[in-house]
Every structure is written in structure tokens, then in C-alpha cells.
Amino acid sequence: MSGGYETDTVTRLETNLDDSSPEILGATMDKLFAAGALDVWFTPIHMKKNRPATMLSVLCEPSHVETLAGVIFRETSAFGLRTEQIVRLKLGRRFETVATEYGEVTVKLGLKGGEVVQVAPEFESCRAVSEKSGQSLRAIYEAATRSWSCR
Amino acid sequence: MSGGYETDTVTRLETNLDDSSPEILGATMDKLFAAGALDVWFTPIHMKKNRPATMLSVLCEPSHVETLAGVIFRETSAFGLRTEQIVRLKLGRRFETVATEYGEVTVKLGLKGGEVVQVAPEFESCRAVSEKSGQSLRAIYEAATRSWSCR
Amino acid sequence: MSGGYETDTVTRLETNLDDSSPEILGATMDKLFAAGALDVWFTPIHMKKNRPATMLSVLCEPSHVETLAGVIFRETSAFGLRTEQIVRLKLGRRFETVATEYGEVTVKLGLKGGEVVQVAPEFESCRAVSEKSGQSLRAIYEAATRSWSCR
Amino acid sequence: MSGGYETDTVTRLETNLDDSSPEILGATMDKLFAAGALDVWFTPIHMKKNRPATMLSVLCEPSHVETLAGVIFRETSAFGLRTEQIVRLKLGRRFETVATEYGEVTVKLGLKGGEVVQVAPEFESCRAVSEKSGQSLRAIYEAATRSWSCR
Amino acid sequence: MSGGYETDTVTRLETNLDDSSPEILGATMDKLFAAGALDVWFTPIHMKKNRPATMLSVLCEPSHVETLAGVIFRETSAFGLRTEQIVRLKLGRRFETVATEYGEVTVKLGLKGGEVVQVAPEFESCRAVSEKSGQSLRAIYEAATRSWSCR
Amino acid sequence: MSGGYETDTVTRLETNLDDSSPEILGATMDKLFAAGALDVWFTPIHMKKNRPATMLSVLCEPSHVETLAGVIFRETSAFGLRTEQIVRLKLGRRFETVATEYGEVTVKLGLKGGEVVQVAPEFESCRAVSEKSGQSLRAIYEAATRSWSCR
């Protein structure tokens, strides 16, 4: 099934960590992105012996598994990793610039079969405009959304 | 392996959402069930840049993927979805009615190789009897469980 | 307001831990109960710098604060504790024994103004009967609840 | 401190539940709102003996404590409740109606010292327009926000 | 890809539980380990009808699926289980003993291609030394880590 | 009760957010720290209408309430805040420098009645040494802890 979506296959790495401190894990997230991870996230889990633990999940290109596994084994207390192949359905992506009363903002567009079905002001672009203009981040998002829909 | 269980293959759709408000997500859950999802749930996750985000998971028949993906891309801020094929082991299901001192209640039975191994008062049935009788929902569950075991 | 409830005042200790491993925290829970805590629990929280951290909460008699604070500072990485006084509304408690087809089970009763308003099979008693009889824990709970309501 | 904010004092009721099923708790939330609760929410907590439990929190007028405590003791397995008095800082609230291309939507305004500092499309109003128009809920929110800012 | 890691294939069992009490689930975790599970954990999830539910996850050898499924269907309210095959990347494991000022402690070593890349004081060994010596668990972990690195 | 601890009184601000996106909340955390918050954290909560929401908690000096409330009302969708006064028990703090094989690291000491009862390598200092030396963050923590205990 693709139905106008783009598809690819990525690897999900997962490990349950009950012997790493949150300080270390926060820094590990940065190192995984720096090493090429597509996405990294934590889920609170409840492990044996009353341990309030954390599941680390990483999404990556299959070619990056060895590098990212190396980061995880080096930075965290993991002794093992689970690996799964995942098929993704994706919108095509295109970036455009819109003018707002506070400055130019980048907008990320999601396309299906050539048609725009998703519009999202781009975070870093909004943050930069928020800081320069002194407006709240929400105000910039709303201005960018409004500007796009009136273009 | 089946060992007396029924089996089927379903699809799990997942996406990490860091740009949708909880109000929207709550309503999206309803729309996914209305569009044929077998189950829908949220998991709290921790994404990059300190975002207290939500993972949306949907279980569905493989034939419903396109419809449900459409709902997700339309109602949420997702730009992509992960899809996995999952084999389920299931008990057979049968519904029976039991009499309680507060009214009749439907009971859902789980069967393995023809034998009843799971008994659960059915929620909506208990809720209806709770509202009509003014008894607590717990009282109805207990009465139904008791009535089944003494039948 | 008391309205038939018993009341008392207890202290809640809380601290956000972003530098303790879950292994240590699980063992700390046991030590806190051993040192007289009334209740201990963990809540998953999301702290600065992407740390998937844990809030430790302890409920205790005001006279136990010094002892329990000592355990926390000794076993975890805490540098500070928040303390709050909390008024509790409580049911009176009484324990009774009921006979079931699998053996005798202790039942905890909750009373308001002398009237039984809450009935709960006692966990350790059910677990002991479950282990001796080979029945599931659920079966013991249901048998005890049934036995109480038919007494 | 008030600084242009409205203030009031409310009561927070809390209890840790390790012996109630989620089905019961979901229905209890509805009953608490029906009995006058200002807000009700669940927090996942980790209790002793490896119990993946739930903290129930209720915010209410002090005059409603007795009624709501009654609902909690009746519907859940609680044997006690924690009560705290909380001072709230609040924006003043006013509702207005805005026209959108999909129909009229109610907007909730937050005021500080007479000035509008918060604008939020009202959920049920948006949902009704979404259902009637067939547009996504997000599209209605965006249209209402846009309409307000261009008014 | 193995790159010096050991690999194996295990099964993950998962089920969403909205009708089991946390008391039962905590005891079920113990029964699953006793029946041969490699790992067991709980994740807080948010299911339909406002249910603050729990996902139970079990990792096991494929040959144990039938036994462990039996435990789950018997002890919890599950009517179905999801099963997935997972490839694991693992460090080799070796245990050594180190002397500390508080007594001997077992240390778990993780090896990749014969080289030690992970060192973790073993929990139960540390706990025993902590109890005998009266030192905090953290102190034992630190002493063991120090002893290993100075060996 | 102080028993050798330092004490102070701080304010906790809390609000339940069901209409703010995680992207906005992550950026709000930064803005609250920049405006003088002592601590900021998120807790996953489950609100009415199936909303997977977030509780924002801020700890601050009572004199900062007005400023921080302003940030919250400006950056998030909050219409109200809960405020509570909290007494903290704290260890005294002192910073020292230790030499490690990878470079100098700052260590934070916690004191009770003049005695050192808590030792924690300081995160940013460890991170800087980790980056410069190419060693894992864990290795730096362990080296600093070892260096302190052998000083």
C-alpha cells in the first residue's frame, strides 16, 4: 500500500535502561542526533524491582545501525539492543517562505501526490523571529499559519 | 504457535506527535474509532528540544491502513507514519447475559479450545445498569461476576 | 469538613531526581518503607536538558520527616526536598476473615460513621492463598469478594 | 500578589489508586465532573510491589469536598484522600462569536486588567462546526484564530 | 549487521490492559519472570473512554511463548496478545569479582569482540554488601566501579 | 524541623495544559529558566475528553511569581495557575575542583551541619571535558567521583 505516499524502510533501535542517570540520557539524545539518528525519544517504563526506568528509542537508516549502536553502548549502561525494520508512509516535503508582520518565516509543507495536505511553521525559524521581535512563539506560529492560508 | 488460540495479522500504525494539541488528539481518537480502528492509544514520550510529546498508536485491519492514515494526516500534524505487521493470539469471544439483583448484564467470555478461560462484565452494559439502578459501577461488576460464577 | 471521616495531618516529601539510576531508586523505595514511610511513589517527569527524570514522593507522619529525609539524602542524589503538610480524610479500617473455597482470606473494610463503605481483599493474604492453591490471584480476589457479599 | 489577575481558593483532592481498574476510573472521571468538579485528571505513578498505579486528582470548590469525596469512596477503591487548599491566579473570561468560512465559532477570551491576553477557540463549538462542515478540527481552530485576529 | 555483537531472535508479547488492577499486575510481573520471561515491563498508556491503562510487554525465547501467554491470560484480563519477532544485538557477558573496602562485589562485564566495553556492578551483590556493611547502595556501586578501574 | 538542613520557602506554580503543542512547551521551559525559575518540569497527565495533556510545574522565589506567571500566560494556552507555598529542606552547597586523567572537573558538594553528605560531578563541567577529551560522559563522571574519593 502506498496510495500517493512516499515509503521507506528504517530501523528502530530500542533498549530498556534501568542503570543510567537522566543526566546521562539527556546528553545521549544529543549525541545520537549528532551521529545521524532520524529520531530519538524516551518513554517512561516500569521495570522489575520497582525501577522507574526509561526506554530509549532511536529511528535510523539501516546503514547507521552500527554507528548508533556504538554510541548507545558507549554512553549508556545498555548490554543489548532490540532492532526492528519499519516501513514508513511519508508525505513529500517542501519548504516555502511566508511574510508575516514580524518577519519572514519558513513553512514546511507536506505533499501527497503533488497536493499540499500538511502545513507547519518551522520551529527554528519561528523561534528566531520570536526572539528578534519579542513576540511570543505562539504569535509567530499563528501569523505564519495565517499568512500561508491568505497567500 | 497457536496452541488453541485464534490468530490473525493486523497492522500497527504509529507516529510521534510534537506539534498537535491534546484537544485535537482527544478528538482524533474518536475519529479513528469511527473510521474502523480496532484500537487506539496514546503513550507519553519525551522528544528532542524538551518536548513533552505523545505517541499515537493505532491497530487496524491491513485493509484499513489507507483510510486511517488519511484520518491521521488530516487531523494531526503528522508528516509520517510507521507501519508494522503484528500477529495476534486471541481468545475466542462469546457474549452471554447474566441476571443480577440490579438487572441483566452482558458478560464477555474468552474461550481457548472451546473452554471458557476469561470472563469480563461488558462495560457499556454495566454502565447502563449502574445509571438505571443508582448503584456504583463497581457494584455492578461484582454482581455480574458473582452471578456468572454461581450460574 | 469531616462528615463522618477520620482525619489526620501528614507530611509529603518530594524531590525531583535527575542524577540517580532507577536501580538505586527501586532499592530506596524499600528503605523508605522500612524506615516508617506511610507511602512512597514515583512519577515520571521531564526535566531540563532533555532529562527523563523521576519525582520521588513520600507520605509520612510529621515526626518521621528527619529520619526519612536522612534516607533520601543518603541513598539518592537529592540536594533538597520539598515538604508540605496535608490533611487526609480517611475511612476507619477493620480487618475480617472470610472463608473461600480456596482457603481463608483477610478482607480490609473501610468504615464511615460505623458503616462499611469499602471492602477490599487484602493483597498479601490473597497472594498466600493463590500460591498455596495454585489458583490465579484474580480468582482469589473474586472468591473473597463473593464470600464477603454472601456472608 | 494579584497584579491584575483574579484569584480564588479551591481544594485539591488526591488519592493513589492501586486497586481500581482503568475501566472504572474512566467512568469515575465522568461522575466527578457531573458532581461539580472543576477539573479531574490522572497521573501515571509507580507504587510499591511493582504496581503501575494511577493518581486521581480533583480540583473543586471547598463546598463540594464532601460530595466529591463521596463519589470517590463509592466508585473507586480509595481508603483515604489528601486535601489541600490552593490559591489560583486566573484570567477573567469572556466568550465571543466569530464568523469563519465554515460557520460561527465561539472564542474564549482571557482578560487581565480588562485587556485580552489569551484567545482560544472553544472546543465543543469547533467540534460542532467540524462535524457539520466535514472540515478537520484543526482547520476550524485555524479559521477561528484567523477570524479573531482579523476582526 | 553484527559487527562484533552477539545476536539472537526473541519474541515480544504485548497487550493493552484496561480492566486489570495494578495490584494484580504487580504480582503478574513476578509470575512472568518465574515462568521464564527474559524481561517484563509496564508502560502507562491512555486508552479510549478516558482509561488510564497499562501496556504489558514481555520479552522471551520463542519457545516460551505458549507458557507465558498462558500466564497472561490466566492472571490478567487480556483477551488477546500481540506477538513480534525481534533481533537483538548483545554484548557478550562475563562476571568477575572485585574487592572493595566494604566486601567483595560481583561486576558484570559487557564484551564486544573480546574487548570489555561495559562494566556494571551487579545489583543483588551490591545490595547484599550494602545491607551487611550499613553503607548506602550508591557507596557500594562507586566502590565497585573504582575498584574495577584500579585493578 | 531543620536538623542541620538549610530551609527556605518557595512558590510552586502549576497548570494543566490541554491546548498547547509540545513544540511550544519545550521552548517555554527555556523562557521560564531565563526569567528566573528555580526549576521547571513537565508531568504527563490524562485530562477529560481523552486528552493526553501536560502539567507544567515551576518552582520560584515568591518575588518572581508575577514575572513567571506573565511568561506562562503569554507563551502557553493557560487561563489559570495554581500557586502553593512550599518549605524546602536543603543541603548547603559548595563547589570544588578535582583533577582527573581527562582534565579538571567541578564537583558540587552537599553539606549538612558542615559535613559533606553529597557529592556530584557538575554536569556542564563534565560535558565540556567529555567533548574535549572524546571520552564518554559516563567515563568523566566516574573519573571525577573516583578522584574526589581518593583526594
Side-chain angles (χ1 to χ4, degrees):
Chain A
M1 192 230 84
S2 70
Y5 299 110
E6 300 179 4
T7 63
D8 63 5
T9 298
V10 294
T11 303
R12 181 171 61 206
L13 303 176
E14 276 185 358
T15 186
N16 297 354
L17 295 163
D18 63 5
D19 190 22
S20 290
S21 93
E23 275 193 359
I24 298 285
L25 294 180
T28 300
M29 181 183 267
D30 292 341
K31 297 196 183 194
L32 289 163
F33 277 115
L38 297 171
D39 202 1
V40 181
W41 67 99
F42 300 128
T43 307
I45 61 171
H46 182 140
M47 292 177 70
K48 67 177 176 182
K49 301 183 186 181
N50 281 312
R51 295 173 185 164
T54 296
M55 182 163 71
L56 165 64
S57 301
V58 178
L59 222 60
C60 67
E61 303 290 347
S63 62
H64 279 58
V65 168
E66 185 134 8
T67 300
L68 294 168
V71 173
I72 294 171
F73 284 119
R74 185 164 167 278
E75 300 291 334
T76 78
S77 56
F79 273 74
L81 289 180
R82 303 188 289 275
T83 69
E84 293 169 273
Q85 303 308 311
I86 312 275
V87 174
R88 295 196 297 181
L89 300 184
K90 301 191 302 180
L91 301 179
R93 297 179 181 211
R94 198 176 72 219
F95 292 87
E96 296 208 0
T97 302
V98 297
T100 74
E101 54 268 50
Y102 311 114
E104 291 203 333
V105 174
T106 303
V107 169
K108 185 168 70 165
L109 306 178
L111 300 107
K112 185 185 168 193
E115 187 196 356
V116 173
V117 297
Q118 196 72 287
V119 180
E122 200 275 325
F123 175 75
E124 292 299 347
S125 164
C126 289
R127 180 153 73 173
V129 173
S130 167
E131 279 171 16
K132 202 158 50 181
S133 68
Q135 295 294 313
S136 76
L137 192 51
R138 278 198 297 161
I140 310 303
Y141 270 79
E142 287 172 13
T145 304
R146 192 164 59 232
S147 173
W148 169 264
S149 65
C150 304
R151 125 228 61 124
Chain B
M1 194 226 86
S2 70
Y5 299 110
E6 300 180 3
T7 63
D8 63 5
T9 297
V10 295
T11 301
R12 182 171 61 206
L13 303 178
E14 276 185 358
T15 187
N16 297 353
L17 295 163
D18 63 5
D19 190 22
S20 290
S21 94
E23 276 192 359
I24 298 285
L25 293 180
T28 301
M29 182 184 267
D30 293 340
K31 297 196 182 196
L32 288 164
F33 276 115
L38 297 171
D39 202 2
V40 181
W41 68 98
F42 300 126
T43 307
I45 61 171
H46 181 139
M47 292 177 70
K48 68 178 176 182
K49 301 185 186 179
N50 282 311
R51 295 173 184 165
T54 296
M55 181 164 71
L56 165 65
S57 302
V58 178
L59 222 59
C60 67
E61 303 290 349
S63 61
H64 279 59
V65 167
E66 183 135 9
T67 300
L68 294 168
V71 173
I72 294 171
F73 284 119
R74 192 174 107 96
E75 299 291 334
T76 78
S77 55
F79 273 74
L81 288 180
R82 303 188 291 274
T83 69
E84 291 168 274
Q85 302 309 311
I86 312 276
V87 175
R88 295 196 298 180
L89 300 184
K90 301 191 302 178
L91 301 179
R93 296 177 180 213
R94 199 175 72 219
F95 292 87
E96 296 208 0
T97 302
V98 296
T100 75
E101 54 269 50
Y102 311 116
E104 293 202 332
V105 173
T106 303
V107 170
K108 183 168 71 166
L109 306 177
L111 298 107
K112 184 187 168 192
E115 187 196 355
V116 174
V117 298
Q118 195 70 287
V119 180
E122 200 274 323
F123 175 74
E124 291 299 347
S125 164
C126 290
R127 179 153 74 173
V129 173
S130 167
E131 277 171 16
K132 202 157 52 181
S133 68
Q135 295 294 313
S136 76
L137 190 53
R138 278 198 298 160
I140 309 303
Y141 269 80
E142 287 173 12
T145 303
R146 193 164 58 233
S147 173
W148 169 264
S149 65
C150 301
R151 124 229 63 121
Chain C
M1 195 228 83
S2 72
Y5 297 109
E6 300 180 3
T7 63
D8 63 5
T9 299
V10 294
T11 302
R12 182 172 60 207
L13 303 177
E14 275 185 358
T15 187
N16 298 353
L17 295 163
D18 62 6
D19 190 22
S20 290
S21 93
E23 276 193 359
I24 298 284
L25 293 180
T28 301
M29 182 184 265
D30 292 341
K31 299 197 182 196
L32 288 164
F33 277 116
L38 297 171
D39 203 1
V40 181
W41 67 98
F42 300 126
T43 307
I45 60 172
H46 182 139
M47 291 177 69
K48 67 178 176 183
K49 300 182 186 180
N50 281 312
R51 295 172 184 166
T54 295
M55 182 164 69
L56 165 65
S57 302
V58 178
L59 223 59
C60 67
E61 303 289 349
S63 62
H64 278 58
V65 168
E66 183 135 8
T67 300
L68 294 168
V71 173
I72 294 171
F73 284 119
R74 195 173 105 92
E75 299 292 334
T76 78
S77 56
F79 273 75
L81 289 180
R82 301 188 292 274
T83 69
E84 293 169 272
Q85 304 307 310
I86 312 277
V87 174
R88 294 196 298 182
L89 300 184
K90 300 193 301 180
L91 300 180
R93 293 178 182 213
R94 199 174 74 218
F95 292 88
E96 295 207 0
T97 301
V98 297
T100 75
E101 55 269 49
Y102 310 114
E104 292 202 333
V105 174
T106 303
V107 169
K108 183 166 72 165
L109 306 178
L111 299 107
K112 185 186 168 192
E115 187 196 356
V116 173
V117 298
Q118 196 70 286
V119 180
E122 201 275 323
F123 175 74
E124 290 299 346
S125 165
C126 290
R127 180 154 73 172
V129 173
S130 167
E131 279 172 16
K132 203 158 50 183
S133 68
Q135 296 294 313
S136 76
L137 190 53
R138 277 198 299 161
I140 310 303
Y141 270 81
E142 287 173 12
T145 303
R146 192 165 59 233
S147 174
W148 169 264
S149 65
C150 304
R151 124 227 64 122
Chain D
M1 192 228 87
S2 70
Y5 298 110
E6 301 180 2
T7 64
D8 64 5
T9 298
V10 294
T11 302
R12 182 172 61 207
L13 303 177
E14 277 185 358
T15 188
N16 298 353
L17 294 163
D18 63 5
D19 190 21
S20 291
S21 94
E23 275 193 359
I24 298 285
L25 293 180
T28 301
M29 182 183 264
D30 293 341
K31 297 197 182 194
L32 288 164
F33 276 116
L38 298 171
D39 202 2
V40 181
W41 68 98
F42 300 127
T43 308
I45 60 172
H46 182 139
M47 291 178 70
K48 68 176 175 185
K49 300 182 185 181
N50 281 312
R51 295 172 184 164
T54 295
M55 183 163 71
L56 165 64
S57 301
V58 178
L59 221 60
C60 67
E61 303 289 349
S63 61
H64 279 59
V65 169
E66 184 135 6
T67 300
L68 294 168
V71 172
I72 294 171
F73 284 119
R74 186 165 167 277
E75 298 292 334
T76 78
S77 56
F79 274 74
L81 289 181
R82 301 188 292 275
T83 69
E84 293 170 273
Q85 303 307 311
I86 312 275
V87 174
R88 295 197 296 182
L89 300 184
K90 301 192 301 181
L91 301 179
R93 294 178 182 214
R94 199 174 72 218
F95 292 87
E96 296 208 1
T97 301
V98 296
T100 75
E101 56 269 49
Y102 311 115
E104 293 203 333
V105 174
T106 303
V107 170
K108 184 166 72 164
L109 306 178
L111 299 106
K112 185 185 168 193
E115 187 196 357
V116 173
V117 297
Q118 196 72 287
V119 180
E122 202 274 323
F123 176 73
E124 292 299 346
S125 164
C126 290
R127 181 154 72 174
V129 172
S130 167
E131 279 171 17
K132 202 157 50 183
S133 67
Q135 295 294 314
S136 76
L137 190 52
R138 276 198 299 162
I140 310 302
Y141 271 78
E142 287 173 12
T145 303
R146 194 166 57 233
S147 173
W148 169 264
S149 64
C150 303
R151 125 231 62 123
Chain E
M1 196 229 83
S2 71
Y5 298 109
E6 300 180 2
T7 63
D8 63 5
T9 298
V10 294
T11 303
R12 182 171 61 205
L13 303 177
E14 277 186 356
T15 185
N16 297 353
L17 294 164
D18 63 5
D19 190 23
S20 291
S21 94
E23 276 193 356
I24 298 284
L25 294 180
T28 300
M29 181 184 267
D30 293 341
K31 297 195 182 196
L32 288 164
F33 277 115
L38 298 171
D39 202 1
V40 181
W41 68 98
F42 300 127
T43 307
I45 60 171
H46 182 140
M47 291 177 70
K48 68 178 175 182
K49 300 183 186 181
N50 282 310
R51 294 171 186 167
T54 296
M55 182 164 70
L56 165 65
S57 302
V58 179
L59 222 59
C60 67
E61 303 289 350
S63 61
H64 279 60
V65 167
E66 183 134 8
T67 301
L68 293 168
V71 173
I72 294 171
F73 284 120
R74 186 165 165 276
E75 299 291 334
T76 78
S77 55
F79 273 74
L81 289 179
R82 302 189 290 274
T83 70
E84 292 169 273
Q85 303 309 310
I86 312 276
V87 174
R88 294 196 298 181
L89 300 184
K90 301 192 301 180
L91 301 179
R93 295 176 182 215
R94 199 174 73 219
F95 292 88
E96 296 208 0
T97 302
V98 296
T100 76
E101 55 268 50
Y102 311 115
E104 291 203 332
V105 174
T106 304
V107 169
K108 185 167 70 166
L109 306 177
L111 300 104
K112 184 185 168 193
E115 188 196 355
V116 174
V117 297
Q118 196 71 286
V119 181
E122 200 275 323
F123 175 75
E124 291 299 346
S125 165
C126 290
R127 180 152 75 173
V129 173
S130 166
E131 280 171 15
K132 202 158 50 181
S133 67
Q135 295 294 313
S136 76
L137 190 53
R138 276 198 299 161
I140 310 304
Y141 270 78
E142 286 172 12
T145 303
R146 194 164 58 232
S147 174
W148 169 264
S149 64
C150 302
R151 125 231 62 126
Chain F
M1 195 233 82
S2 71
Y5 298 110
E6 301 179 3
T7 62
D8 64 4
T9 297
V10 294
T11 302
R12 182 171 60 207
L13 304 176
E14 277 184 358
T15 187
N16 298 353
L17 294 164
D18 63 5
D19 190 22
S20 290
S21 94
E23 275 193 358
I24 298 285
L25 293 180
T28 300
M29 180 183 267
D30 293 340
K31 298 196 181 194
L32 288 164
F33 276 116
L38 298 171
D39 202 1
V40 181
W41 68 97
F42 301 127
T43 307
I45 61 172
H46 181 139
M47 292 177 70
K48 67 177 176 185
K49 301 185 186 179
N50 281 312
R51 295 171 184 166
T54 295
M55 181 163 71
L56 165 64
S57 302
V58 178
L59 222 61
C60 66
E61 304 290 349
S63 61
H64 279 60
V65 168
E66 183 134 8
T67 299
L68 294 168
V71 173
I72 295 171
F73 284 120
R74 185 165 166 277
E75 298 292 334
T76 78
S77 56
F79 274 73
L81 290 180
R82 302 188 291 275
T83 70
E84 292 170 273
Q85 302 309 309
I86 312 277
V87 175
R88 295 196 297 180
L89 299 184
K90 300 192 302 180
L91 301 179
R93 295 179 181 212
R94 199 174 73 219
F95 292 87
E96 296 208 1
T97 301
V98 297
T100 76
E101 55 268 50
Y102 310 116
E104 293 203 332
V105 173
T106 303
V107 170
K108 184 168 70 165
L109 306 177
L111 299 107
K112 183 185 170 194
E115 189 196 355
V116 173
V117 298
Q118 195 72 285
V119 180
E122 201 274 323
F123 176 74
E124 291 298 348
S125 163
C126 290
R127 180 153 71 173
V129 173
S130 167
E131 278 171 18
K132 203 158 49 183
S133 68
Q135 295 294 313
S136 76
L137 190 54
R138 279 197 299 160
I140 309 302
Y141 270 79
E142 287 173 12
T145 304
R146 193 164 59 233
S147 174
W148 170 263
S149 64
C150 303
R151 127 230 62 122

